[in-house]
């Protein structure tokens, strides 16, 4: 009797569990553990056989499984403001106990971060370095005020890689493994290509791929970007999507009446509610930043190309480039409208979002709405507001379609 | 009226007639360049022949147009700058220099392009990894870029000699400002807190060389004055800024004296002189390299916490006033560590949350009153 192949969601769970298991047993194996943020050039760490933990991802998992509040409360009791990013509040609170019924990560031997996500990580990781008395290495990718990264930006980023290598050598007590680094870069490129191939399936009409699932699927691109198993997984996902297309199937169980771009990260504590609301309104998420964000591609033997790749993500630099990226996403994925998450925890994204909404609308004339939410603080979200906004988006999309004589 | 009163009057005029000053300078044919928070290469602006004018928002601003750009949880300084931009208050400017030292300021560089499309926005991208030689080279390149933009704006070349002279003027001003704050540290009560603030703030709106002349006269006067009897509370102020200025009046009424500060708006502006060197642009880049314990710059050992604690002790402060500008993330992340260091040094600390836009300072008064009672019973 042949064994039925698991679906991609089951396989994802298995790989994620494996990642956390490997992580939590790292110290037993004599491996160093380094904490960093999702878009850090982690290839350097992988080259030194370091187990990498991602506090943002851990916080997201705690948020999604309704386990965030005790750590948020603990963090605020330490004197941190509730104005701060909820990923950091959860993590700083978690650091006081390392005891969760949901998911755990081991203590760090070093912390490092990259400012390509935001400047808040610098302050957050300063607190971690002080808390654990461990080295803290920063890779600073300057904010792109004009368009993309400049030649000067790329030179500066490349210069910082040397300091990172020096610290890793000290931490691990061995030379930097340039051969492995070269091999790891090749794997990362394979992951980027596999991720792009899989997520490009959202461009199909109807889409076999439910774009809302990207929030979960991207976990491996975040945490295991230099693993062959990650590239294999995204290839597996592509094969699954290809099968769905042949069988006229889709992961989305509702009617794909309206295709939308979801701008921003998920509201992790409210995933089920958000998904149900969209499905009940026959809205499928096809557009989002994440296919672009995790497509980290570069020339292997060109360190400046590598530096530039990391400087380019995510698209939170100049408003002009942000607009270009979102407008292109909406075009490529044939969106009827857009749903903007005004994320209370992410000032770098939300303080430019009003301009982004206006500018993208000016480009494509597609209806949009915004809702107030938070990536992991469950208190910064109103289900009723979300439902009302989604309904308004639906009405606007339908009105526009009617105006254009398209089928609603 | 004595010299001290004349000087203070002149400085008060400068801080309360900014629009008039800008109009007068513009009428002389000068290019006007706003220097927005936090650190801007003002020496370069001065060297270009343009008039650098500080633009840190306006106190007690009612926010309306800014909400077309920012949600309510942006700090009040950037809200206020955005509001002023959107209502046309900056239309007289030729350029604005904005530093990318925090996420909110990064967004200001972009929103400003919409609020003020006719004002040239010059972003200064300071490197966070500022101690590295690669960062110095990076900043030099950025500064060269800014020099080029200023030259385009003014139509005049900025020579190395002009930059050298500008640095000398600014370093001289910094020296006099440090002498001033040290006078008030040794002799609390010599000036009111509001007067102290006015003296420091006036440097944003006056020609630096002229301001230095006033400061020299002022410092001579202060040096000659006897130490007043002061039985109030000596505080070390940390944070971004203390405005609305009514907060300073409340501090005066409740017998607090600010004996030293590390406020971004105040002493942090003149604490670090530009170091010597042969390459003028390199000197400016290396000045940034000397910054220590700055909450807006990568500080892996959180030196700021110890610096505040030891600074408070050195200036005989009775307590630290941590003036938390609402929604300022860097200060919010630092607070628990500063509190720990200050308490370990045996001093109390108060986290005083303020907004530049606050319409009433009565809640602040209540908190400061309670803190004073606590301190008085302790002392």
């Amino acid at each position: 009797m042949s064994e039925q192949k698991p679906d991609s969601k089951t396989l994802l769970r298995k790989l994620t569990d494996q990642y956390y298991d490997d992580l939590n047993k790292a110290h037993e194996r004599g491996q160093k553990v380094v904490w960093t943020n999702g878009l850090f050039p982690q290839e350097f760490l992988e080259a030194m056989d370091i187990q990498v933990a991602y506090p943002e991802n851990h916080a997201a998992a705690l948020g999604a499984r309704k386990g965030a509040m005790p750590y948020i409360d603990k963090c605020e009791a330490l004197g941190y403001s509730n104005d701060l990013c909820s990923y950091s509040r959860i993590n700083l609170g978690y650091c006081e106990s390392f005891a969760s019924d949901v998911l755990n990560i081991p203590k760090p031997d070093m912390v490092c971060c990259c400012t390509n996500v935001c400047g808040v990580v610098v302050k957050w990781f300063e607190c971690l370095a002080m808390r654990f008395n461990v080295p803290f290495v920063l890779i600073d990718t300057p904010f792109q005020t004009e368009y993309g990264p400049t030649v000067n930006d790329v030179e500066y980023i490349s210069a910082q890689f040397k300091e990172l290598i020096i610290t890793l050598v000290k931490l691990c007590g061995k030379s930097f493994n340039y051969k492995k680094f070269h091999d790891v870069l090749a794997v990362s490129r394979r992951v980027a290509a596999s991720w792009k191939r899989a997520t490009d399936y959202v461009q199909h009409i109807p889409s076999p791929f439910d774009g809302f699932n990207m929030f979960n699927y991207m976990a491996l691109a975040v945490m295991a970007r230099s693993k062959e198993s990650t590239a294999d997984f995204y290839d597996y996902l592509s094969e699954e999507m290809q099968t769905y297309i042949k069988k006229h199937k889709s992961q989305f169980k509702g009617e794909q009446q309206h295709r939308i771009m979801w701008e921003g990260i998920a509201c992790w504590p409210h995933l089920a509610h958000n998904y149900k609301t969209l499905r009940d309104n026959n809205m499928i998420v096809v557009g989002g930043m994440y296919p672009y964000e995790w497509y980290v591609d570069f020339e292997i033997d060109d360190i400046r190309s590598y530096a530039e790749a990391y400087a380019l993500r995510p698209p939170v630099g100049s408003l002009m480039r942000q607009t270009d990226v979102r407008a292109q996403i909406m075009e490529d994925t044939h969106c009827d409208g857009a749903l903007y998450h005004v994320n209370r925890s992410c000032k770098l994204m939300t303080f430019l979002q009003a301009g982004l909404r206006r500018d993208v609308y000016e480009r494509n004339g597609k209806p949009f709405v915004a809702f107030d939410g938070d990536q992991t603080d469950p208190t910064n979200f109103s289900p009723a507001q979300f439902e009302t906004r989604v309904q308004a988006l639906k009405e606007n999309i339908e009105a526009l379609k009617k105006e254009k004589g398209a089928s609603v | 009226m004595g010299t001290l009163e004349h000087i203070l009057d002149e400085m008060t005029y400068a801080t309360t007639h900014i629009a008039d000053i800008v109009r007068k300078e513009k009428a002389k044919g000068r290019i006007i360049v706003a220097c927005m928070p936090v650190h801007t290469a003002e020496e370069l602006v001065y060297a270009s022949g343009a008039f650098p004018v500080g633009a840190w928002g306006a106190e007690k601003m009612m926010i309306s147009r800014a909400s077309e750009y920012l949600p309510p949880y942006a700090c009040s300084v950037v809200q206020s700058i955005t509001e002023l931009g959107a209502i046309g208050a900056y239309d007289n400017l030729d350029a604005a220099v904005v530093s990318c030292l925090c996420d909110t300021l990064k967004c200001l560089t972009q929103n400003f392009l919409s609020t003020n499309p006719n004002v040239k926005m010059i972003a200064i991208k300071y490197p966070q990894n500022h101690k590295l030689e690669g960062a110095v080279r990076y900043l030099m390149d950025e500064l060269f870029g800014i020099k080029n933009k200023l030259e385009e704006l003014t139509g005049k070349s900025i020579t190395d000699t002009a930059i050298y002279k500008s640095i000398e003027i600014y370093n001289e001003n910094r020296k006099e400002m440090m002498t001033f704050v040290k006078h008030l540290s040794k002799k609390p009560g010599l000036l009111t807190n509001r007067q102290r603030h006015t003296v420091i703030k006036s440097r944003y709106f006056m020609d630096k060389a002229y301001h230095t002349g006033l400061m020299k006269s002022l410092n001579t006067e202060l040096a000659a004055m006897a130490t007043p009897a002061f039985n109030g509370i000596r505080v070390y102020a940390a944070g971004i800024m203390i405005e609305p200025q009514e907060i300073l009046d409340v501090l005066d009424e409740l017998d607090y004296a600010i004996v030293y500060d590390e406020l971004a708006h105040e002493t942090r502006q003149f604490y670090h002189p530009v170091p010597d060197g042969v390459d003028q642009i390199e000197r400016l880049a290396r000045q940034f390299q000397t910054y220590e314990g700055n909450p807006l710059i990568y500080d892996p050992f959180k030196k700021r916490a110890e610096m505040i604690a030891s600074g408070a002790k050195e200036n005989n402060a009775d307590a630290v006033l941590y003036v938390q500008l609402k929604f300022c993330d860097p200060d919010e992340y630092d607070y628990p560590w500063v509190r720990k260091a200050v308490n370990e040094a045996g001093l109390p600390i108060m986290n005083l949350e303020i907004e530049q836009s606050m319409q009433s300072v009565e809640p602040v008064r209540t908190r400061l009153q309670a803190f004073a009672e606590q301190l008085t019973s302790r002392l």
Side-chain angles (χ1 to χ4, degrees), chain A residues 77-81 83-85 88-89 92 115 117-124 126-131 134 136-140 142-146 148 150 152-154 156 159-160 162-163 317-320 342-355 358-359 372-373, chain B residues 67-71 73-75 100 102-111 113-114 121 123-130 132 134-142 149 294-305 324 326-337 339 351 353:
Chain A
L78 292 171
Y80 291 103
S81 169
D83 175 51
L84 297 174
C85 158
S88 68
R89 280 185 284 142
L92 290 165
T115 49
V117 283
C118 63
V120 155
V121 288
V122 179
K123 302 303 298 180
W124 171 11
E126 279 177 10
C127 297
L128 292 175
M130 292 295 291
R131 178 66 183 81
V134 295
F136 170 21
V137 177
L138 172 67
I139 300 293
D140 179 34
F143 184 73
Q144 298 141 37
T145 56
E146 295 188 13
T150 62
N152 195 27
D153 289 344
V154 171
Y156 165 52
Q160 293 171 80
K162 289 184 199 152
E163 284 303 307
S318 84
L319 191 48
M320 204 185 314
V342 186
N343 182 356
R344 178 62 180 85
S345 275
C346 186
K347 292 178 182 177
L348 188 59
M349 294 206 61
T350 58
F351 290 2
L352 287 180
Q353 206 193 77
R358 280 193 289 269
D359 292 350
D372 298 303
Chain B
S67 46
E68 293 168 28
Y69 299 89
L70 298 164
Y73 45 90
C75 80
C100 296
C102 72
D103 289 343
T104 308
L105 287 170
K106 289 170 190 171
C107 295
L108 178 60
T109 67
Q110 302 302 295
N111 287 329
L113 299 172
S114 296
M121 194 280 296
I124 178 162
K125 290 152 58 178
Y126 285 108
Q128 282 291 319
N129 235 326
H130 67 310
L132 303 182
V136 174
R137 284 193 299 274
Y138 175 79
L139 186 52
M140 284 177 68
D141 211 284
E142 289 295 302
K149 286 176 181 163
N294 189 312
L296 301 171
I297 308 170
Y298 166 61
D299 179 14
F301 304 105
K302 280 247 193 277
K303 287 182 182 174
R304 184 190 187 203
Q324 173 68 62
K326 195 166 167 148
F327 306 126
C328 176
D329 293 60
D331 277 352
E332 285 166 351
Y333 277 107
D334 280 354
Y335 175 64
W337 299 96
R339 182 180 66 180
N351 185 320
E353 191 178 78

Side-chain angles (χ1 to χ4, degrees), chain A residues 56 59-60 63-64 84-88 90 124 265-270 341-346 373-378 380:
Chain A
E56 289 156 301
L84 297 174
C85 158
S86 55
Y87 282 161
S88 68
I90 292 167
W124 171 11
I265 190 63
C267 296
W268 294 107
H270 302 286
H341 174 192
V342 186
N343 182 356
R344 178 62 180 85
S345 275
C346 186
D374 192 288
Q375 56 212 28
T376 34
D377 186 334
N380 287 334

Side-chain angles (χ1 to χ4, degrees), chain A residues 37-43 54 56-57 116-117 188-196 199 214-225 230 234 265 268 288-298 309-310 312-315:
Chain A
N37 64 282
L39 277 164
F40 187 84
Q42 44 78 42
E43 289 83 359
Y54 296 88
E56 289 156 301
N57 182 271
N116 55 6
V117 283
S188 283
R189 291 194 74 209
R190 198 193 140 211
V191 168
S194 302
W195 168 252
K196 184 173 193 314
T199 53
M214 270 195 262
F215 290 135
N216 286 319
Y217 283 132
M218 71 181 186
L220 293 179
V222 175
M223 304 184 301
R225 199 156 62 255
T230 300
Y234 291 134
I265 190 63
W268 294 107
M289 224 173 51
Y290 296 101
Y292 178 96
E293 184 162 329
W294 299 108
Y295 180 56
V296 188
D297 200 24
F298 42 82
Y310 275 100
L312 273 168
R313 22 212 45 81

Side-chain angles (χ1 to χ4, degrees), chain A residues 225-286:
Chain A
R225 199 156 62 255
S226 296
K227 304 278 188 215
E228 294 279 9
S229 55
T230 300
D232 291 342
F233 171 74
Y234 291 134
D235 286 343
Y236 189 88
L237 179 58
S238 288
E239 284 162 21
E240 190 176 85
M241 292 302 106
Q242 202 52 44
T243 306
Y244 273 37
I245 287 174
K246 283 190 189 136
K247 293 183 176 175
H248 306 289
K249 274 175 74 175
S250 173
Q251 291 180 324
F252 184 71
K253 298 304 171 214
E255 242 190 275
Q256 293 188 29
Q257 267 183 9
H258 311 303
R259 298 168 64 94
I260 64 160
M261 174 179 78
W262 175 300
E263 165 59 21
I265 190 63
C267 296
W268 294 107
H270 302 286
L271 285 176
H273 168 269
N274 292 166
Y275 186 71
K276 184 177 181 305
T277 307
L278 291 171
R279 195 194 59 208
D280 290 351
N281 283 278
N282 299 321
M283 269 183 200
I284 177 170
V285 173
V286 290

